[in-house]
Amino acid sequence: MSKKKLIAILLVCIVAAAGYFLFKWSRGSSAAWQFIPSNAIVVITSEHLQDSAYTATDAALDIKRLPLLDIASDNLTLLNLLTPDQKKLKGFLKGKALSYSYHARTSTEWGVIMYIPVNEEETKWLASPQHSNIRLLHHNFQDHRITDAIDSNSRPLFSYLVKDHFLIVSYYGDLIEDAVRASSLNIESFRLRSRFSNVNDSDYGTSIYLRSDAWKSVVSMDNINGALLEFGKALPAYQDFHIETAKDKGPLVLKSEGTDAPDHYFADILKDNSGMPFTGHKHISQQTSFFFRSAASDRAGFKAEFQKWHKKYKSAPWDRLNYYIAGESNMLIDNLGSELILCQLAENNSITDGKILLAEFTNYDKLRPVLQKLARLANQETNVSIDQYQGYDIYSVPIPELPSGLYGPMFQGFPRSYVTYIAPYLVISNNSQVLQNYIVDYENQLTWKQSPEYDSVLTNVNMEAQLSMIVNLRKAQSGEENQVAKKYGDLTAKMESVMLQCYYEGGNAIPELTFQPKKRQTASKVLNRTFLNIDIEWPELYDAELAALQNPIDGSSEILLTDKEHQLLRTNNLREGKTEAIAKLNGAISTSAYKVDFLNIGRQQRIFATGRTVYALDEDDSSMVTTFTANLPSSDDIAALYLIDGDDDGSNRFIVKSSADELFIWESVTKKIRRLNHSVGFEKIVGPVVALNQIGNRGFIVTQQNGKIFLLKENGTVKPGFPVDILTRAESPFTWAQNPATGQPELVGVSVSGELIRISLDGKVTSRKQLLRPEPGSRFRVLFDRNSLDWILVRSVNSKTAIITKDGRDLFEIKDILPNATIQYHFFGADNRFITIKSGGYTTVFDMNGKRLGDKAIPSEMPVQLTYQPGYYKLLIFSRSEKKIQVWSIKLR
């Protein structure tokens, strides 16, 4: 080949390549911007929403049912009115990039315009589409002939217009007129158009362009989390998200090109400082439902920008802090690191708004005397400022919204702050019980570090987003005050979490959405089926109830049984069902059994009672069992054993009720059981006895069937103002709940006739609310789980039972229940709660939506016990039937 020809060929290749890239990069968005009215809040363009299947991840997430995209997908059904020929309609839409624009009609309703490319032949067909169910009328608007479809009763169905090779169609005719105006005016100041019309989205299957206020249709503004609202302000006002391909494996990622950073303090502080991977998994409780994090890799740079912002920041909590400790308040921000984390915890233990703030912090030793001084000066009451729990200092600071004064408005919802230090974080909570629960989870390693779903989240070195939010979908959906305005069943059923990150690069903010699928998927032939694992031949059961126990860390389960010689046998091999003797008792088990770290040594002990003795059995790593016992200082038998919150060192304690309705407390294996009630006698106590375990407010709630409510101090004396007589019977105990306005506890319970009653800690009835009572014979009660970790309300009448939330909202109702049915509540975390109903000789398991779990009822001659294995999403049901102990299992997901 000659040199001239070679040069010519190279020139042609270069010109062609240049032309290709010029064409590629000069291409703008494929959305029909020239027609889209300027009041559009959302614009979507996609080649796949019309496909019969549009899925991603190995969980087959239906992308068409994702928030916002579901509205476009639903509006596509409008095209069925153009022709009954589905094959023709499918061919008409195949391979086309369709555009959709959303326009607010009301606060909850969108008007949608669809823009569909058409050719000449399709234009002719659209001039007179054939469908027997519609009639076509026409009207002119600005010299454009708009077609209006009506039904046989002259009711409007939809309107459309063909213009410049686009079919423009909507349910609302006035929106078609808006599209005509937009095409004639060509308003370049339309913010979505001016920002995104030049984005090259040709490589994406679906693109979403929106104003930030569009998310109001997804997240309810009524009960929105304050941190979530503030997090939204840190995102750009105009956002774009793109789905590259529908991947079969791994998470689904919606990427962004980014727009101008908002005027927000986090954006200003973090804009010139890259993020850093997350290493604090062992500090995040598994009960976290919403996780917010800001982090920067350059600590010195972050500190300089943070302090520059804080000097200009004015807030009442900071002024109050300075009032108490003056210049020493600067220690709380001078030693701040570059990482701030806020965890919104799932509801449990009567707490509806538990928060944990983790602030990376150095020089805690210097801060300790400052916190002691602050707690003493800020508290007017005595003995409420400083405490210890499991070796950690706890400081109570009654400055409302103190964290927002320290770290900005992202950290709201702290009527009072409880502070401790767990290196490298200063830990602040809005409730002392929440902080104690957090310490227990941290010490027992019930954290993200032990979670297969979260043990590696945010660890990738490429994940340098400065601001992150992770939502555990199951826990977020389980709360009574649901954060989500609309249910997204496919999303919550198949995805474990949603992660929203925001990268700041100078003046730009780049958000990114990641949908993380659940790691373990169960085959349909196994999912939600009931299987019999083992039968244990046991002709005579001597125990009062089944003692099924679980290790809360690894989920392993066992059952304890006693024989006629009072040998205690343990079965923890749930495949073979073999039993082994581990101790000798002085009688059969007569109470509930528990497995907790009573000795506070880092492993669980088995706790239960016979008629005369309370036992604590500890088993070391070499399987050696040590038995600790305690006897009542009374001649009466033991009637009940209740697990209550911890002592000063954080270990659990136990309340023992005698057959004579006297109460005793066992605080440690080194202490004898002591009588709790000296100055007052009780009659017909309805159990359990509930512990109130907060700084300055420690005690025990005792409820009598006649409606008298007692609040005992730690020494057993009755607190002033009590007992409170609710003047009606109570068939269930009162408990305590967090007052969301003050953050302080109050007593709450329900009368047998359905009055939901709240009592302040000084013994005053603060509210009475009559719950729905559809029939005169309806009876109400509070139903606790076995470990007294959570409670719900139950309404029963004749053969019906309704399960009710704490605020009185009906969850579901079960009918055709036989008399004397046993209803139990089983709590294994906010997202794993179950109801069992023993009716006749069978027990049925339900989730909290009223869905029956398993494909058959469980034969049971006595109330069943449940354990839950979180690593396998498996529910184990222990029952007794036909002289056998049976273990059943149901795989939940």
Side-chain angles (χ1 to χ4, degrees), residues 66-123:
L66 288 178
L68 297 181
L69 291 175
D70 62 332
I71 299 171
S73 178
D74 290 343
N75 270 264
L76 275 170
T77 60
L78 178 155
L79 300 177
N80 292 324
L81 297 174
L82 286 173
T83 174
D85 188 344
Q86 291 298 307
K87 185 176 180 181
K88 181 177 182 179
L89 183 59
K90 186 175 181 180
F92 171 61
L93 297 174
K94 185 177 181 181
K96 291 183 178 180
L98 275 60
S99 300
Y100 312 80
S101 61
Y102 295 7
H103 310 267
R105 305 291 290 186
T106 67
S107 60
T108 58
E109 182 184 14
W110 294 107
V112 178
I113 309 175
M114 293 185 289
Y115 312 83
I116 304 169
V118 294
N119 56 34
E120 294 295 339
E121 183 180 343
E122 291 166 340
T123 300

Coordinates of all heavy atoms in Angstrom, one line a residue, residues 66-123:
L66 N -40.4 0.7 41.5 CA -39.7 1.6 42.4 C -40.4 2.9 42.5 O -41.2 3.3 41.7 CB -38.3 1.8 41.8 CG -37.3 0.6 41.9 CD1 -36.0 1.0 41.3 CD2 -37.1 0.1 43.3
P67 N -40.1 3.6 43.6 CA -40.7 4.9 43.8 C -40.5 5.9 42.6 O -39.4 5.8 42.0 CB -40.0 5.5 45.1 CG -39.6 4.3 45.8 CD -39.3 3.3 44.8
L68 N -41.5 6.6 42.3 CA -41.6 7.5 41.1 C -41.7 6.8 39.8 O -42.6 7.1 39.0 CB -40.4 8.5 41.1 CG -40.2 9.4 42.3 CD1 -39.0 10.3 42.1 CD2 -41.5 10.3 42.5
L69 N -40.9 5.7 39.6 CA -41.0 5.0 38.3 C -42.4 4.2 38.3 O -42.9 4.0 37.2 CB -39.9 4.0 38.2 CG -38.5 4.6 38.0 CD1 -37.4 3.5 38.0 CD2 -38.4 5.3 36.7
D70 N -42.9 3.9 39.4 CA -44.2 3.2 39.4 C -45.3 4.0 38.8 O -46.2 3.5 38.2 CB -44.5 2.7 40.8 CG -44.7 3.8 41.8 OD1 -44.1 4.8 41.6 OD2 -45.5 3.6 42.8
I71 N -45.2 5.3 39.0 CA -46.3 6.2 38.5 C -46.3 6.2 36.9 O -47.3 6.1 36.3 CB -46.1 7.6 39.0 CG1 -46.2 7.6 40.6 CG2 -47.1 8.6 38.4 CD1 -45.8 8.9 41.2
A72 N -45.0 6.3 36.4 CA -44.9 6.2 34.9 C -45.4 4.9 34.4 O -46.1 4.8 33.4 CB -43.5 6.5 34.5
S73 N -45.0 3.8 35.0 CA -45.4 2.5 34.6 C -46.9 2.3 34.6 O -47.5 1.8 33.7 CB -44.7 1.4 35.5 OG -45.1 0.1 35.1
D74 N -47.5 2.8 35.7 CA -49.0 2.7 35.8 C -49.7 3.5 34.7 O -50.7 3.1 34.2 CB -49.5 3.2 37.2 CG -49.1 2.3 38.3 OD1 -48.7 1.1 38.0 OD2 -49.1 2.7 39.5
N75 N -49.1 4.7 34.3 CA -49.8 5.5 33.3 C -49.7 4.9 31.9 O -50.5 5.2 31.1 CB -49.1 6.9 33.3 CG -49.9 7.9 34.2 OD1 -50.7 8.6 33.8 ND2 -49.5 7.8 35.5
L76 N -48.8 4.0 31.7 CA -48.7 3.3 30.5 C -49.9 2.5 30.2 O -50.2 2.2 29.0 CB -47.4 2.4 30.4 CG -46.1 3.0 30.0 CD1 -45.0 2.1 30.3 CD2 -46.1 3.5 28.6
T77 N -50.6 2.1 31.2 CA -51.9 1.3 30.9 C -52.9 2.1 30.2 O -53.8 1.6 29.6 CB -52.5 0.8 32.3 OG1 -52.8 2.0 33.1 CG2 -51.5 -0.1 33.0
L78 N -52.8 3.4 30.2 CA -53.7 4.3 29.4 C -53.7 3.9 28.0 O -54.7 4.0 27.3 CB -53.2 5.8 29.6 CG -54.0 6.9 28.9 CD1 -53.8 8.2 29.6 CD2 -53.5 7.1 27.5
L79 N -52.5 3.5 27.4 CA -52.4 3.1 26.0 C -53.3 1.9 25.6 O -53.5 1.7 24.4 CB -51.0 2.9 25.6 CG -50.0 4.1 25.9 CD1 -48.6 3.7 25.6 CD2 -50.5 5.3 25.1
N80 N -53.7 1.1 26.6 CA -54.6 0.0 26.3 C -55.9 0.5 25.7 O -56.6 -0.3 25.1 CB -54.9 -0.8 27.5 CG -53.6 -1.6 28.0 OD1 -52.8 -2.0 27.2 ND2 -53.4 -1.7 29.3
L81 N -56.3 1.8 26.0 CA -57.5 2.3 25.5 C -57.4 2.7 24.0 O -58.4 3.0 23.4 CB -57.9 3.5 26.3 CG -58.2 3.2 27.8 CD1 -58.5 4.5 28.6 CD2 -59.4 2.3 27.9
L82 N -56.2 2.8 23.5 CA -56.0 3.1 22.1 C -56.4 1.9 21.2 O -56.9 2.1 20.1 CB -54.6 3.6 21.8 CG -54.2 5.0 22.3 CD1 -52.7 5.2 22.1 CD2 -55.0 6.0 21.5
T83 N -56.0 0.7 21.7 CA -56.3 -0.5 20.8 C -56.4 -1.7 21.7 O -55.6 -1.8 22.7 CB -55.2 -0.7 19.8 OG1 -55.4 -1.9 19.1 CG2 -53.8 -0.7 20.5
P84 N -57.3 -2.6 21.4 CA -57.4 -3.8 22.2 C -56.4 -4.8 21.7 O -56.2 -5.9 22.4 CB -58.8 -4.3 21.9 CG -59.1 -3.8 20.5 CD -58.4 -2.5 20.4
D85 N -55.6 -4.6 20.7 CA -54.7 -5.5 20.1 C -53.4 -5.3 20.9 O -52.6 -4.4 20.6 CB -54.5 -5.2 18.6 CG -53.6 -6.3 18.0 OD1 -52.9 -7.0 18.7 OD2 -53.6 -6.3 16.7
Q86 N -53.1 -6.2 21.9 CA -51.9 -6.1 22.7 C -50.6 -6.3 21.9 O -49.6 -5.7 22.2 CB -52.0 -7.1 23.9 CG -53.1 -6.8 24.9 CD -52.8 -5.4 25.6 OE1 -51.7 -5.2 26.1 NE2 -53.8 -4.5 25.5
K87 N -50.7 -7.2 20.9 CA -49.5 -7.4 20.1 C -49.1 -6.2 19.3 O -48.0 -5.8 19.2 CB -49.8 -8.6 19.1 CG -48.6 -9.0 18.3 CD -48.9 -10.2 17.4 CE -47.7 -10.6 16.6 NZ -48.0 -11.8 15.8
K88 N -50.2 -5.5 18.8 CA -49.9 -4.3 18.0 C -49.3 -3.2 19.0 O -48.4 -2.4 18.6 CB -51.2 -3.8 17.4 CG -51.0 -2.5 16.6 CD -52.3 -2.1 15.9 CE -52.2 -0.9 15.1 NZ -53.4 -0.5 14.4
L89 N -49.9 -3.1 20.2 CA -49.4 -2.1 21.1 C -48.0 -2.4 21.6 O -47.2 -1.4 21.7 CB -50.4 -2.1 22.3 CG -50.1 -1.0 23.4 CD1 -50.2 0.4 22.8 CD2 -51.1 -1.2 24.6
K90 N -47.7 -3.6 21.8 CA -46.3 -4.0 22.2 C -45.3 -3.6 21.1 O -44.2 -3.1 21.3 CB -46.3 -5.5 22.5 CG -44.9 -6.0 23.0 CD -45.0 -7.4 23.4 CE -43.7 -7.9 24.0 NZ -43.7 -9.3 24.4
G91 N -45.7 -3.9 19.8 CA -44.8 -3.5 18.7 C -44.7 -2.0 18.5 O -43.6 -1.5 18.2
F92 N -45.8 -1.3 18.8 CA -45.8 0.2 18.8 C -44.8 0.8 19.8 O -44.1 1.8 19.5 CB -47.2 0.7 19.1 CG -47.3 2.1 19.2 CD1 -46.9 3.0 18.2 CD2 -47.8 2.7 20.4 CE1 -47.1 4.4 18.4 CE2 -47.9 4.0 20.6 CZ -47.5 4.9 19.6
L93 N -44.6 0.1 21.0 CA -43.7 0.7 22.0 C -42.3 0.1 22.0 O -41.4 0.7 22.6 CB -44.4 0.4 23.4 CG -45.7 1.1 23.6 CD1 -46.3 0.7 25.0 CD2 -45.6 2.6 23.6
K94 N -42.1 -1.0 21.4 CA -40.9 -1.7 21.4 C -39.7 -0.9 21.0 O -39.6 -0.2 20.0 CB -40.9 -3.0 20.6 CG -39.7 -3.9 20.7 CD -39.8 -5.1 19.9 CE -38.6 -6.0 20.0 NZ -38.7 -7.2 19.2
G95 N -38.7 -0.8 21.9 CA -37.4 -0.2 21.6 C -37.4 1.3 21.6 O -36.4 2.0 21.3
K96 N -38.6 2.0 22.0 CA -38.7 3.4 22.0 C -38.3 4.0 23.3 O -38.5 3.4 24.4 CB -40.1 3.8 21.6 CG -40.5 3.5 20.2 CD -41.9 4.0 19.9 CE -42.3 3.8 18.4 NZ -43.6 4.3 18.1
A97 N -37.6 5.2 23.2 CA -37.3 5.9 24.4 C -38.5 6.8 24.8 O -38.7 7.8 24.1 CB -36.0 6.8 24.2
L98 N -39.3 6.4 25.7 CA -40.5 7.2 26.1 C -40.1 8.2 27.2 O -39.2 7.9 28.1 CB -41.5 6.2 26.7 CG -42.5 5.6 25.7 CD1 -41.7 4.7 24.7 CD2 -43.5 4.7 26.4
S99 N -40.7 9.3 27.2 CA -40.5 10.4 28.2 C -41.8 10.6 29.0 O -42.9 10.4 28.4 CB -40.1 11.7 27.5 OG -38.9 11.6 26.8
Y100 N -41.7 11.0 30.2 CA -42.8 11.2 31.1 C -42.5 12.5 31.9 O -41.4 12.7 32.4 CB -43.0 10.1 32.1 CG -43.0 8.7 31.5 CD1 -41.8 8.0 31.2 CD2 -44.2 8.0 31.2 CE1 -41.7 6.8 30.6 CE2 -44.1 6.7 30.7 CZ -42.9 6.1 30.4 OH -42.9 4.8 29.9
S101 N -43.5 13.3 32.0 CA -43.3 14.5 32.9 C -44.5 14.5 33.9 O -45.6 14.2 33.6 CB -43.3 15.8 32.1 OG -44.6 16.0 31.4
Y102 N -44.1 14.8 35.2 CA -45.1 14.8 36.3 C -45.4 16.2 36.7 O -44.5 17.1 36.9 CB -44.5 14.1 37.5 CG -44.1 12.6 37.4 CD1 -44.2 12.0 36.1 CD2 -43.7 11.8 38.4 CE1 -43.9 10.6 36.0 CE2 -43.4 10.5 38.3 CZ -43.5 9.9 37.1 OH -43.2 8.6 36.9
H103 N -46.7 16.4 37.0 CA -47.2 17.8 37.3 C -48.1 17.6 38.5 O -49.0 16.8 38.5 CB -47.9 18.4 36.1 CG -47.1 18.4 34.9 ND1 -46.3 19.4 34.5 CD2 -46.9 17.4 33.9 CE1 -45.6 19.1 33.4 NE2 -46.0 17.9 33.0
A104 N -47.9 18.4 39.6 CA -48.7 18.2 40.8 C -50.1 18.7 40.5 O -50.4 19.8 40.0 CB -48.1 19.1 41.9
R105 N -51.1 17.8 40.8 CA -52.5 18.1 40.7 C -53.1 18.5 42.1 O -53.8 19.5 42.3 CB -53.3 17.0 40.2 CG -52.8 16.4 38.8 CD -53.1 17.4 37.7 NE -54.5 17.5 37.4 CZ -55.0 18.3 36.4 NH1 -54.1 18.9 35.6 NH2 -56.3 18.3 36.1
T106 N -52.7 17.7 43.1 CA -53.1 17.9 44.5 C -51.8 17.6 45.3 O -50.8 17.2 44.7 CB -54.2 17.1 45.0 OG1 -53.9 15.7 45.0 CG2 -55.5 17.3 44.1
S107 N -51.9 17.6 46.6 CA -50.8 17.3 47.5 C -50.4 15.8 47.4 O -49.2 15.5 47.7 CB -51.0 17.7 48.9 OG -52.2 16.9 49.4
T108 N -51.3 15.0 46.9 CA -51.0 13.6 46.8 C -51.1 13.0 45.4 O -51.0 11.8 45.3 CB -51.9 12.8 47.8 OG1 -53.3 13.1 47.4 CG2 -51.7 13.2 49.2
E109 N -51.5 13.8 44.4 CA -51.8 13.2 43.1 C -51.0 13.9 42.0 O -50.8 15.1 42.0 CB -53.3 13.4 42.8 CG -53.7 12.8 41.4 CD -55.2 13.1 41.1 OE1 -55.8 14.0 41.8 OE2 -55.7 12.5 40.2
W110 N -50.4 13.1 41.1 CA -49.7 13.6 40.0 C -50.5 13.6 38.7 O -51.4 12.7 38.5 CB -48.5 12.7 39.7 CG -47.4 12.7 40.7 CD1 -47.1 11.6 41.6 CD2 -46.4 13.7 41.0 NE1 -46.1 12.0 42.4 CE2 -45.6 13.2 42.1 CE3 -46.2 14.9 40.5 CZ2 -44.6 13.9 42.6 CZ3 -45.1 15.7 41.0 CH2 -44.4 15.2 42.1
G111 N -50.3 14.6 37.9 CA -50.8 14.5 36.5 C -49.6 14.1 35.6 O -48.5 14.7 35.8
V112 N -49.7 13.2 34.8 CA -48.5 12.7 34.0 C -48.8 12.9 32.5 O -49.9 12.6 32.0 CB -48.3 11.2 34.3 CG1 -47.1 10.7 33.4 CG2 -48.0 11.0 35.7
I113 N -47.8 13.4 31.8 CA -47.8 13.5 30.3 C -46.8 12.5 29.8 O -45.7 12.5 30.3 CB -47.5 14.9 29.8 CG1 -48.4 16.0 30.5 CG2 -47.7 15.0 28.3 CD1 -48.0 17.4 30.1
M114 N -47.2 11.7 28.8 CA -46.3 10.8 28.1 C -45.9 11.3 26.7 O -46.8 11.8 26.0 CB -46.9 9.4 28.1 CG -47.0 8.7 29.4 SD -47.6 7.0 29.3 CE -49.3 7.3 28.8
Y115 N -44.7 11.1 26.4 CA -44.2 11.6 25.1 C -43.6 10.4 24.3 O -42.6 9.8 24.8 CB -43.2 12.7 25.2 CG -43.6 13.8 26.2 CD1 -43.4 13.6 27.6 CD2 -44.2 14.9 25.7 CE1 -43.8 14.6 28.4 CE2 -44.6 16.0 26.6 CZ -44.4 15.8 27.9 OH -44.8 16.8 28.8
I116 N -44.2 9.9 23.2 CA -43.8 8.7 22.6 C -43.5 9.0 21.1 O -44.3 9.5 20.4 CB -45.0 7.7 22.6 CG1 -45.4 7.4 24.1 CG2 -44.6 6.4 22.0 CD1 -46.7 6.7 24.2
P117 N -42.2 8.7 20.7 CA -41.9 8.9 19.3 C -42.8 8.0 18.4 O -43.1 6.9 18.7 CB -40.4 8.4 19.2 CG -39.9 8.4 20.7 CD -41.1 8.1 21.5
V118 N -43.2 8.6 17.3 CA -44.0 7.9 16.3 C -43.5 8.2 14.9 O -42.9 9.3 14.6 CB -45.5 8.3 16.4 CG1 -46.1 7.9 17.7 CG2 -45.7 9.8 16.2
N119 N -43.7 7.3 14.0 CA -43.4 7.5 12.5 C -44.6 7.8 11.8 O -45.7 7.9 12.3 CB -42.7 6.2 12.0 CG -43.5 5.0 12.2 OD1 -44.8 5.0 12.1 ND2 -42.9 3.8 12.4
E120 N -44.5 8.0 10.4 CA -45.6 8.4 9.6 C -46.7 7.4 9.7 O -47.9 7.8 9.7 CB -45.1 8.6 8.2 CG -44.1 9.7 8.0 CD -44.7 11.1 8.3 OE1 -46.0 11.2 8.2 OE2 -44.0 12.0 8.6
E121 N -46.4 6.1 9.6 CA -47.5 5.1 9.6 C -48.3 5.1 10.9 O -49.5 5.0 10.9 CB -46.9 3.7 9.3 CG -47.9 2.6 9.2 CD -47.2 1.2 9.0 OE1 -46.1 1.2 8.6 OE2 -47.9 0.2 9.2
E122 N -47.5 5.2 12.0 CA -48.2 5.3 13.3 C -49.0 6.5 13.5 O -50.1 6.5 14.1 CB -47.1 5.2 14.4 CG -46.4 3.8 14.4 CD -45.2 3.8 15.3 OE1 -44.6 4.9 15.5 OE2 -44.7 2.7 15.7
T123 N -48.6 7.6 12.9 CA -49.3 8.9 12.9 C -50.7 8.7 12.2 O -51.7 9.2 12.7 CB -48.5 10.0 12.3 OG1 -47.3 10.2 12.9 CG2 -49.3 11.3 12.3

